[in-house]
Amino acid sequence: MELALAEAKQAAAEGEVPIGAILVLAGEVIAAAHNRRETDQDATAHAEMLVIQAGCRKLGRWRLSGTTMFVTIEPCPMCAGALVMSRIDRLVYGSPDSRAGAVESIFNVVQHPALNHRLVVTAGVRQEECAAVIQAFFRERRRSAANDNA
């Protein structure tokens, strides 16, 4: 999770919503990324999506079985669906997302019985630190907007 947090902090430094993700296979990090929606002007450039794409390229396959994804914030429905479709075995995440979370907060896409693949989930890893990074980002964004309107 330390590496995912470092990615999240890099995203914040770039003005992106600070979410970071890494993909691990057999104890080796095979991909790392952070949100790049603003930078790439791409609605799908979430950290999880970018890590899945990089992992597929590195391994030369679309099935990412045997891997674990670490992400700082609970994945959204798009990312949760991609985790299932790419056959990632395990998801470890930090803080829940009460507005868009699709693992426990609003939906549970990654363990839905109607789907052909389910992930093992570990939630709450370094939860306070993961939440603090994103909360500080939005607090600063609100502060800047208030100053701009003053």
Side-chain angles (χ1 to χ4, degrees):
M1 189 60 78
E2 183 68 31
L3 295 174
L5 276 161
E7 287 287 336
K9 291 171 185 175
Q10 180 62 39
E14 295 173 8
E16 296 281 354
V17 172
I19 297 174
I22 64 165
L23 191 64
V24 174
L25 176 64
E28 176 188 348
V29 175
I30 61 168
H34 55 270
N35 277 2
R36 294 184 47 91
R37 289 191 306 172
E38 299 299 330
T39 301
D40 295 351
Q41 289 298 295
D42 180 350
T44 67
H46 290 202
E48 301 95 324
M49 300 295 285
L50 297 173
V51 161
I52 289 169
Q53 292 166 1
C56 289
R57 283 191 303 272
K58 175 140 187 181
L59 297 177
R61 56 186 166 104
W62 67 266
R63 286 181 190 88
L64 297 175
S65 51
T67 64
T68 297
M69 181 178 291
F70 292 80
V71 63
T72 56
I73 303 295
E74 178 184 4
C76 72
M78 173 182 68
C79 294
L83 287 161
V84 171
M85 293 296 120
S86 62
R87 310 298 195 268
I88 290 171
D89 286 348
R90 183 170 177 230
L91 169 66
V92 178
Y93 71 90
S95 182
D97 181 351
S98 63
R99 294 183 179 190
V103 177
E104 68 172 322
S105 295
I106 299 174
F107 309 106
N108 188 342
V109 172
V110 301
Q111 295 174 327
H112 197 284
L115 297 175
N116 65 343
H117 178 75
R118 288 172 224 27
L119 283 77
V120 173
V121 176
T122 303
V125 175
R126 297 180 71 172
Q127 180 174 341
E128 295 79 17
E129 190 173 355
C130 291
V133 171
I134 201 161
Q135 289 166 350
F137 176 81
F138 283 113
R139 187 173 27 252
E140 179 57 34
R141 194 177 250 187
R142 285 188 298 274
R143 186 178 303 126
S144 293
N147 289 339
D148 290 346
N149 292 330

